[in-house]
Amino acid sequence: MSLFKARDWWSTVLGEKEEFDQGCLCLADVDNTGNGQDKVIVGSFMGYLRIFNPHPVKTGEGTQAEDLLLEVHLRDPILQVEVGKFVSGTEMLHLAVLHSRKLCVYSVSGTLGNVEHGNQYQIKLMYEHNLQRIACNMTYGSFGGVKGRDLICIQSMDGMLMVFEQESYAFGRFLPGSLLPGPLAYSSRTDSFITVSSCRQVESYKYQVLAFATDADKRQETEQQKLGSGKRLVVDWTLNIGEQALDICIVSFNQSASSVFVLGERNFFCLKDNGQIRFMKKLDCSPSCFLPYCSVSEGTINTLIGNHNNMLHIYQDVTLKWATQLPHVPVAVRVGCLQDLKGVIVTLSDDGHLQCSYLGTDPSLFQAPKVESRELNYDELDIELKELQKIIKDVNKSQGVWPMIEKEDDLKVSAMVSPNFDSVSQATDVEVGTDLVRSVTVKVTLQNRVALQKAKLSVYVQPPLVLTRDQFTFEFMAPEMTRTVAFSVYLKGSYTPPELEGNAVVSYSRPTDRNPDGIPRVIQCKFRLPLKLICLPGQPSKTASHKLTIDTNKSPVSLLSLFPGFANQSEDDQVNVMGFRFLGGSQVTLLASKTSQRYRIQSEQFEDLWLVTNELIIRLQEYFEKQGIKDFACSFSGSMPLQEYFELIDHHFELRINGEKLEELLSERAVQFRAIQRRLLTRFKDKTPAPLQHLDTLLDGTYKQVIALADAVEENQDNLFQSFTRLKSATRLVILLIGLWQKLSADQIAILEAAFLPLQQDTPELGWEETVDAAISHLLKTCLSKSSKEQALNLSSQLSMPKDTSRLKKHITLLCDRLAKGGRLCLSTDAAAPQTMVMPGKLLKE
């Protein structure tokens, strides 16, 4: 709220439910009294024309009956009213009224009254023009330098300028490239029409160019135009302002200079005659109208700008000089002389609030009364505090704010994966090669106990697995409703996903008595996809580059019973060897020892061991659970395959380095390409032709380099994504082996997963290497530290891409070494010594 309010001098409300716009207000001595007193002319979209001569008895009084000189209903909507010398043979002022299909020019005259009813005013139609096109707005002036009369130019909705020399139609011209009409103004000093096109640029057209251009009776090119008769309509100058314009106004300092003011949606601009920017001002609020006028200071211009916050700002060039509060949002503002009071500000709102005001202050003189001071009674305050605490405790116990029931009771979510493939595969746009890609259907069932709002199901699987649909929306308007949705999953890429587990997450709102909008809740359900979705039976291989051996405490189980459908039975019915071939080509071999309790997994790719190893352990646990054996356990006693793991880390990091180098090269070539374009543009604009000096050849070569580098960046990004997926598979394998090697609990494995797998995907700002290095460093300096001195070391607060991976590999090796020496993982940072750490439910000692 502004302290400075507009001082209401006179105001009224026009009609009922009428609408007005910026062209509906005009101030002029329309009845030609010659005393310098302006009349207020207002036209409405309902077709009412009103002329006011305000003369309040007391400042701030409303309208009197004699203030309204004339009110006429013209039937057609009034788009704009202007006053000028529009009738030939006289220099008297006449009123021009623009309708959508008609232009009317009236004379306004008054008859002196002999009785108390006062003077009588009437309008007389001098002439009218029926328009062939729908009008948008108009402007007037002494086009072509004529003396003693004003010509009218009307802009149609399809971008045609129609010029009328008073009672006769002169010509019509289409603006080139016009899509939507913009504001229109006439500059008498340059004899130009200035508008803002739908391309968001200010355009200036000379009147002489418009007059001698080809006639615009038809938009199509005629044979005469093809033969060259007539001239092409050429713009004088343009300026791109980057936003739509609300209004244009032209103000002259003197006879030698004038300024073009353009009001945009966020800025207002002051331009010179040649289209150069004199200054511009960024506005804080969305403007609704403006009016520039000459200032008392030489060389400056004052501007009134109304905005949608009911404010009227007065700027001197770009400096805010005054801000005043209005009772409405103005759509038109004018300044005139009313009843010998110069500088009256007349504003009109879109719903017909017409106000004449002047600038002044009306400060609030209210002062808060003094409050009687009294001493505090601390005993009473203690009693009141206890009562409030009891109320808060009772509210928390009630179900009004936070229901005490479990969120799973509100909604139950279950997922079921079909044991068989889809009869018709849903796989599309796969990149697996010649293998047939099958799809499997997953059904998710939701059952609510109470009415729920805005339930949204989101499903996620690890790429390159793809869902046919991953978003679902439900409305549980009544309790005990069941909804089931189905979707298919298939493999799209030629590499293996890091895991076969999918996640279905449901977010919903549960309405309560105190919160009808509902309390947000989230519930999730995980499902496991079958191995056969990404894998086919393959030929076992006797040799492989990477091998793992998993020890168990039970006798070996037939692989045929563990992996039905994958065994490639031979004649001697050997079931201790089984081959797996992933879609895309890589193979894994699984061997079960006949004499010992061991299983060996081997493959040519280290990361491919993960899915088969994990699937083997899960199926062994399920097999012995069905047998009623609860003490089954797996272990790993071999050496930790860190070297193979480090090779994948180095490959991933190398692709990140290559990506940065390629992006730098691409940026350099793009800068070079733009520099060559500027040079060529300068050569082409030069009036004197000059040789290109092979700049066109250099431009073509640079363009080809930019395209090649862009393709290389895309290819590197695809390789980086695949490398990160393989790195996640290898990371999960390493975590599994560390857990089997040191017999870690589920909580400790969860800490390892949080440290080694913090990101779902790589980004240029935050990569896997620096994030994992920071997490492992934190573990080494807290729960795995050797001394309190290490615990006191602080980690750097800013993560950045490292120069190499040597530090990360050193920390991973150190982590395995500390775990081998008895260290245990926990989230507690205040452990007294590394050998004794408190874990959930038990005490671990070395």
Side-chain angles (χ1 to χ4, degrees):
M1 179 66 71
S2 172
L3 174 67
F4 307 122
K5 297 180 181 179
R7 305 291 290 158
D8 185 7
W9 183 68
W10 177 89
S11 61
T12 185
V13 179
L14 307 177
E16 291 184 4
K17 297 182 180 179
E18 294 189 46
E19 295 183 10
F20 304 82
D21 206 350
Q22 62 183 14
C24 297
L25 177 65
C26 180
L27 264 66
D29 184 18
V30 69
D31 55 347
N32 297 283
T33 58
N35 57 7
Q37 304 298 315
D38 292 328
K39 311 300 185 295
V40 182
I41 304 117
V42 184
S44 75
F45 289 166
M46 297 294 289
Y48 285 95
L49 177 68
R50 299 179 178 90
I51 301 177
F52 292 93
N53 184 22
H55 52 282
V57 179
K58 247 168 80 178
T59 299
E61 276 192 351
T63 179
Q64 305 293 324
E66 57 269 21
D67 293 344
L68 180 60
L69 303 183
L70 181 70
E71 181 175 355
V72 180
H73 187 208
L74 302 179
R75 297 186 180 179
D76 295 324
I78 299 175
L79 304 181
Q80 192 172 344
V81 289
E82 298 291 350
V83 174
K85 303 172 184 178
F86 300 136
V87 177
S88 60
T90 178
E91 293 190 9
M92 303 282 285
L93 296 178
H94 289 78
L95 174 64
V97 179
L98 180 65
H99 303 285
S100 58
R101 285 283 190 175
K102 187 166 55 174
L103 171 66
C104 301
V105 176
Y106 299 93
S107 67
V108 180
S109 59
T111 304
L112 207 59
N114 295 323
V115 293
E116 62 181 2
H117 297 302
N119 302 335
Q120 296 179 1
Y121 284 81
Q122 60 270 348
I123 62 172
K124 179 182 178 182
L125 179 66
M126 304 303 294
Y127 63 87
E128 69 178 19
H129 293 289
N130 292 314
L131 307 178
Q132 299 299 319
R133 300 179 182 277
I134 299 176
C136 176
N137 51 25
M138 69 175 175
T139 186
Y140 70 95
S142 54
F143 304 162
V146 297
K147 303 293 184 182
R149 58 188 179 131
D150 291 326
L151 279 63
I152 298 176
C153 178
I154 299 176
Q155 182 179 206
S156 68
M157 293 298 292
D158 56 354
M160 180 180 178
L161 297 185
M162 296 171 283
V163 178
F164 295 89
E165 294 183 357
Q166 297 182 338
E167 290 88 348
S168 61
Y169 171 72
F171 58 85
R173 302 289 184 264
F174 277 107
L175 297 179
S178 176
L179 180 62
L180 294 173
L184 181 68
Y186 172 72
S187 173
S188 58
R189 206 187 76 82
T190 60
D191 195 23
S192 302
F193 293 101
I194 300 171
T195 184
V196 178
S197 69
S198 53
C199 298
R200 300 183 174 182
Q201 60 184 11
V202 185
E203 299 177 351
S204 174
Y205 297 91
K206 290 282 188 182
Y207 175 74
Q208 296 296 332
V209 175
L210 287 169
F212 290 105
T214 306
D215 198 5
D217 290 336
K218 295 183 180 180
R219 299 228 35 178
Q220 289 82 10
E221 196 174 29
T222 63
E223 289 298 326
Q224 288 185 349
Q225 287 174 290
K226 293 179 181 177
L227 294 174
S229 102
K231 293 185 179 179
R232 182 168 167 264
L233 182 55
V234 180
V235 66
D236 184 28
W237 54 260
T238 62
L239 175 69
N240 194 335
I241 60 174
E243 57 184 311
Q244 295 293 344
L246 303 179
D247 201 359
I248 295 179
C249 193
I250 297 170
V251 177
S252 296
F253 288 110
N254 46 51
Q255 293 300 322
S256 61
S258 65
S259 294
V260 180
F261 279 80
V262 181
L263 179 67
E265 296 172 322
R266 294 173 295 276
N267 308 275
F268 83 90
F269 306 83
C270 177
L271 314 179
K272 297 180 182 178
D273 290 333
N274 57 2
Q276 295 180 353
I277 294 181
R278 192 188 301 275
F279 62 80
M280 66 173 288
K281 174 67 177 177
K282 182 176 177 60
L283 303 175
D284 297 329
C285 303
S286 177
S288 58
C289 61
F290 87 139
L291 177 69
Y293 60 95
C294 292
S295 171
V296 293
S297 301
E298 187 176 355
T300 62
I301 293 182
N302 286 356
T303 308
L304 296 170
I305 299 182
N307 59 40
H308 287 86
N309 289 351
N310 295 10
M311 296 291 293
L312 188 66
H313 290 171
I314 295 90
Y315 289 90
Q316 188 176 66
D317 286 351
V318 295
T319 305
L320 180 64
K321 290 295 185 179
W322 198 268
T324 184
Q325 185 83 29
L326 293 174
H328 55 258
V329 176
V331 295
V333 58
R334 300 289 184 270
V335 174
C337 178
L338 302 175
Q339 297 297 317
D340 296 325
L341 183 62
K342 296 181 179 180
V344 177
I345 300 173
V346 183
T347 55
L348 175 68
S349 71
D350 61 350
D351 56 353
H353 285 78
L354 180 65
Q355 176 173 315
C356 300
S357 54
Y358 59 91
L359 301 181
T361 61
D362 188 15
S364 175
L365 301 177
F366 172 77
Q367 292 183 354
K370 293 183 179 180
V371 181
E372 295 182 2
S373 60
R374 55 188 180 90
E375 295 182 359
L376 298 177
N377 189 332
Y378 290 100
D379 294 335
E380 292 181 358
L381 291 177
D382 287 338
I383 295 173
E384 184 180 357
L385 179 62
K386 290 179 181 178
E387 290 177 354
L388 292 175
Q389 288 176 340
K390 184 176 181 300
I391 293 172
I392 293 172
K393 190 180 295 185
D394 293 340
V395 169
N396 287 336
K397 286 182 179 179
S398 68
Q399 296 184 4
V401 179
W402 296 106
M404 300 303 291
I405 59 174
E406 290 295 328
K407 58 187 177 184
E408 286 81 8
D409 292 339
D410 297 339
L411 184 67
K412 291 183 179 180
V413 183
S414 60
M416 184 185 71
V417 181
S418 174
N420 302 318
F421 288 124
D422 296 338
S423 57
V424 177
S425 177
Q426 302 297 315
T428 57
D429 299 331
V430 293
E431 304 166 0
V432 181
T434 58
D435 291 325
L436 176 62
V437 179
R438 310 297 296 271
S439 62
V440 67
T441 298
V442 181
K443 291 183 179 180
V444 178
T445 303
L446 289 77
Q447 184 176 7
N448 64 310
R449 187 183 59 86
V450 296
L452 303 175
Q453 298 175 353
K454 304 172 185 176
K456 182 178 180 181
L457 169 64
S458 301
V459 188
Y460 178 76
V461 292
Q462 292 286 345
L465 292 172
V466 176
L467 300 164
T468 54
R469 185 178 175 185
D470 59 352
Q471 298 284 344
F472 302 89
T473 305
F474 308 94
E475 284 292 340
F476 294 100
M477 305 303 296
E480 303 299 335
M481 295 178 64
T482 302
R483 298 288 180 87
T484 302
V485 294
F487 50 88
S488 296
V489 188
Y490 61 91
L491 185 72
K492 187 173 183 179
S494 60
Y495 52 98
T496 58
E499 58 179 338
L500 291 174
E501 194 174 69
N503 199 6
V505 180
V506 182
S507 61
Y508 62 92
S509 298
R510 186 182 190 277
T512 62
D513 296 337
R514 294 177 180 268
N515 190 354
D517 292 335
I519 300 171
R521 299 287 197 191
V522 175
I523 185 173
Q524 64 178 348
C525 171
K526 294 186 177 182
F527 56 90
R528 183 164 187 80
L529 298 170
L531 182 63
K532 62 183 179 180
L533 184 64
I534 62 168
C535 190
L536 299 172
Q539 190 66 29
S541 176
K542 295 183 179 180
T543 59
S545 302
H546 305 280
K547 301 177 182 179
L548 288 178
T549 302
I550 302 298
D551 299 327
T552 63
N553 58 353
K554 302 296 178 183
S555 56
V557 182
S558 169
L559 297 182
L560 184 60
S561 59
L562 288 178
F563 295 92
F566 282 97
N568 190 6
Q569 276 186 276
S570 58
E571 296 179 358
D572 53 356
D573 197 20
Q574 290 184 347
V575 290
N576 62 331
V577 179
M578 188 171 289
F580 302 88
R581 185 173 66 84
F582 290 109
L583 296 178
S586 57
Q587 296 193 9
V588 179
T589 302
L590 175 61
L591 299 94
S593 175
K594 296 181 179 179
T595 56
S596 61
Q597 302 169 350
R598 294 181 176 181
Y599 300 87
R600 171 172 289 181
I601 309 98
Q602 57 189 27
S603 175
E604 293 296 329
Q605 303 292 333
F606 175 68
E607 65 272 12
D608 291 339
L609 299 173
W610 153 246
L611 285 178
V612 177
T613 305
N614 186 50
E615 195 74 20
L616 171 66
I617 294 175
I618 291 175
R619 297 196 180 199
L620 282 173
Q621 291 172 345
E622 292 175 351
Y623 175 82
F624 285 109
E625 282 180 4
K626 290 180 180 179
Q627 301 294 326
I629 301 173
K630 297 182 179 181
D631 59 344
F632 171 76
C634 297
S635 61
F636 176 71
S637 57
S639 60
M640 194 61 58
L642 293 181
Q643 194 58 41
E644 295 87 342
Y645 183 48
F646 290 159
E647 290 177 1
L648 288 172
I649 294 176
D650 289 336
H651 179 63
H652 175 262
F653 187 74
E654 182 182 350
L655 289 174
R656 288 185 63 191
I657 296 291
N658 290 341
E660 284 196 346
K661 291 179 180 178
L662 288 172
E663 288 180 359
E664 286 182 10
L665 281 173
L666 181 61
S667 177
E668 291 175 2
R669 292 296 180 270
V671 171
Q672 177 179 321
F673 186 71
R674 289 191 292 269
I676 299 171
Q677 281 182 319
R678 285 194 295 270
R679 290 284 184 90
L680 274 174
L681 188 60
T682 304
R683 294 289 177 90
F684 290 146
K685 282 186 175 181
D686 195 355
K687 295 182 180 179
T688 305
L692 297 180
Q693 296 178 344
H694 302 289
L695 282 175
D696 53 343
T697 306
L698 187 58
L699 181 71
D700 183 62
T702 307
Y703 174 75
K704 291 179 180 178
Q705 289 180 1
V706 169
I707 295 300
L709 283 171
D711 292 340
V713 169
E714 287 187 356
E715 183 181 358
N716 187 82
Q717 287 176 348
D718 293 340
N719 293 336
L720 182 63
F721 185 80
Q722 293 188 23
S723 175
F724 185 60
T725 304
R726 293 188 174 97
L727 181 60
K728 285 198 289 186
S729 298
T731 302
R732 290 191 176 277
L733 178 61
V734 170
I735 293 173
L736 174 66
L737 296 179
I738 292 176
L740 296 177
W741 174 44
Q742 291 297 317
K743 296 181 174 57
L744 300 182
S745 64
D747 293 335
Q748 293 173 329
I749 292 177
I751 293 174
L752 273 183
E753 289 179 349
F756 277 89
L757 296 168
L759 303 175
Q760 286 294 334
Q761 61 182 7
D762 261 335
T763 60
E765 296 81 13
L766 187 64
W768 182 85
E769 284 81 6
E770 56 265 30
T771 312
V772 173
D773 187 33
I776 295 177
S777 299
H778 176 73
L779 293 177
L780 292 174
K781 293 175 181 179
T782 52
C783 58
L784 295 179
S785 62
K786 285 186 176 181
S787 62
S788 58
K789 188 175 182 181
E790 283 188 358
Q791 294 183 5
L793 295 175
N794 292 324
L795 296 173
S796 62
S797 59
Q798 190 172 6
L799 295 181
S800 59
M801 186 174 176
K803 295 180 180 179
D804 51 37
T805 58
S806 57
R807 174 187 169 92
L808 172 62
K809 292 188 287 188
K810 176 184 175 183
H811 285 164
I812 294 175
T813 306
L814 191 58
L815 173 75
C816 295
D817 185 55
R818 297 270 178 95
L819 289 174
K821 292 180 179 179
R824 284 297 176 263
L825 299 168
C826 69
L827 296 177
S828 176
T829 58
D830 54 353
Q835 288 83 12
T836 304
M837 300 175 188
V838 178
M839 292 297 292
K842 57 182 177 179
L843 187 70
L844 298 176
K845 294 185 179 181
E846 189 176 90

